[in-house]
């Protein structure tokens, strides 16, 4: 007869094996297929595929859009989380709902909204055209679409962290004569730094890999408005499968770097929450 401890160990092993099998099938295997497809016809073709002008332009645009969208969402996320977690004010629930809106709206729909607003036949399109400013089928539209889809990540990561910390530390600093800016830099920011970094990493990962909203507003202009995901789609549709896998491997590399950064942040945050006990040397008995 199998005892309860042995049944527990068997069930635990089965669950772990099942989780690893699903992760391997749906996560690791596709990555291996991408990497093997990228080098299927040799390293020379791989290097040529990722160094040709359109691929480099797509990489530059992806990094540029990310470098614009992430800092803007960082500033908004910190301000919004601070207001929601530290204060009660009219419209607080509405602000929380607006922050969650991009998670509920399809990225394609969000891209279509920008087309209806800023397109040539849109609400603001004719006026912008007369002013010589182009949004749709240009970099500004891609930046706006990326900001929209990455809107919630920093704020949603910081809100529960700030709510858990409460307002005692900030109120104590203010009562001792610190300004609001000093309170933020010396009290609030050190307490939220790991949550903030985690939110930035998630926002960065989504910005680099966004496809749906960017596809609607970009126009798919080679060398100008194609990000890396869009460039992969064009290559694959043109039956340049090896080149498509090669460019996709760049996205895989960026994703792996993001995963390494995420793991490091989680480890540091865990270490801060659970510091190693300080071992004191035994005192000598008199």
């Amino acid at each position: 007869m199998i005892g309860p401890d042995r049944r527990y160990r068997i069930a635990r092993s089965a669950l772990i094996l099942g989780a690893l099998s699903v992760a391997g099938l749906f996560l690791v295997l596709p990555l291996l297929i991408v990497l093997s497809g990228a080098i299927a016809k040799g390293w020379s073709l791989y290097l040529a595929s990722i160094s040709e002008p359109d691929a480099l332009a797509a990489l530059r645009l992806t990094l540029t859009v990310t470098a614009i969208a992430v800092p803007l969402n960082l500033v908004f996320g910190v301000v919004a989380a601070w207001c929601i977690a530290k204060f009660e004010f009219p419209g607080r629930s509405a602000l929380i709902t607006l922050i969650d809106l991009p998670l509920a709206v399809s990225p394609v729909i969000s891209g279509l909204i920008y087309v209806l607003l800023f397109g040539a036949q849109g609400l603001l399109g004719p006026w912008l055209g007369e002013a010589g400013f182009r949004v749709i089928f240009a970099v500004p539209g891609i930046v706006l679409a990326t900001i929209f889809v990455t809107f919630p990540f920093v704020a949603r990561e910081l809100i529960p962290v700030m709510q858990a910390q409460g307002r005692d530390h900030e109120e104590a600093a203010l009562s001792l004569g610190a300004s609001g800016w000093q309170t933020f830099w010396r009290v609030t920011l050190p307490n939220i730094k790991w949550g903030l970094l985690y939110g930035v990493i998630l926002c960065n990962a989504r910005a680099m890999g966004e496809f749906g909203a960017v596809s609607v507003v970009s126009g798919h202009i080679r060398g100008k408005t194609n990000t890396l995901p869009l460039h992969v789609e064009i290559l694959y549709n043109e039956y340049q499968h090896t080149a498509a896998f090669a460019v996709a491997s760049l996205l895989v590399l960026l994703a792996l770097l993001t995963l390494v950064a995420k793991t490091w942040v989680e480890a540091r945050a865990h270490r801060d929450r659970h510091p190693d006990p300080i071992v004191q040397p035994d005192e000598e008995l008199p």
Side-chain angles (χ1 to χ4, degrees), residues 119-130:
Q121 306 299 323
L123 184 63
L124 302 176
W127 179 80
L128 291 172
E130 292 176 0

Side-chain angles (χ1 to χ4, degrees), residues 23-35 245 252:
L25 179 63
F26 292 104
L27 298 177
V28 178
L29 183 59
L31 295 180
L32 293 177
I33 292 175
V34 169
L35 295 177
F245 281 126
V252 172

Side-chain angles (χ1 to χ4, degrees), residues 32-272:
L32 293 177
I33 292 175
V34 169
L35 295 177
S36 62
I39 59 175
K41 296 185 178 180
W43 287 100
S44 59
L45 181 58
Y46 173 81
L47 294 175
S49 299
I50 63 174
S51 60
E52 57 100 10
D54 288 342
L56 294 178
L59 177 60
R60 284 194 298 268
L61 180 58
T62 299
L63 296 178
T64 300
V65 171
T66 302
I68 297 172
V70 173
L72 291 177
N73 278 330
L74 166 64
V75 174
F76 169 80
V78 172
V79 173
W82 198 358
C83 291
I84 291 171
K86 306 295 183 180
F87 305 102
E88 295 289 339
F89 55 92
R92 182 174 178 270
S93 298
L95 178 59
I96 296 175
T97 302
L98 289 175
I99 290 174
D100 292 336
L101 184 63
L103 298 175
V105 176
S106 168
V108 175
I109 299 301
S110 65
L112 181 60
I113 291 172
Y114 283 113
V115 172
L116 296 176
L117 281 175
F118 302 112
Q121 306 299 323
L123 184 63
L124 302 176
W127 179 80
L128 291 172
E130 292 176 0
F133 189 72
R134 188 174 183 180
V135 176
I136 301 302
F137 305 151
V139 175
I142 298 174
V143 172
L144 287 175
T146 304
I147 290 174
F148 181 87
V149 298
T150 57
F151 199 63
F153 289 97
V154 176
R156 262 302 168 192
E157 188 64 33
L158 290 181
I159 289 172
V161 175
M162 289 186 173
Q163 286 177 333
Q165 291 172 353
R167 297 183 295 183
D168 294 342
H169 293 167
E170 285 87 351
E171 290 176 352
L174 292 172
S175 66
L176 293 174
S179 65
W181 192 247
Q182 289 173 328
T183 301
F184 173 75
W185 280 105
R186 298 184 180 182
V187 178
T188 304
L189 187 59
N191 289 330
I192 66 170
K193 60 182 179 180
W194 299 120
L196 180 62
L197 283 174
Y198 191 75
V200 168
I201 289 171
L202 294 178
C203 182
N204 181 78
R206 179 62 188 273
M208 289 188 300
E210 175 54 30
F211 177 83
V214 172
S215 177
V216 174
V217 302
S218 70
H220 296 79
I221 304 173
R222 282 181 180 268
K224 294 184 178 180
T225 64
N226 267 351
T227 58
L228 280 178
L230 300 183
H231 189 58
V232 171
E233 181 199 27
I234 287 178
L235 291 174
Y236 193 83
N237 289 338
E238 293 177 348
Y239 301 101
Q240 301 182 49
H241 294 163
T242 301
F245 281 126
V247 177
S249 70
L250 296 179
L251 286 171
V252 172
L253 176 61
L254 293 174
L256 292 176
L257 293 175
T258 302
L259 182 61
V260 170
K262 171 180 171 293
T263 303
W264 178 80
V265 168
E266 289 177 339
R268 290 297 302 269
H270 179 78
R271 194 178 308 162
D272 281 1

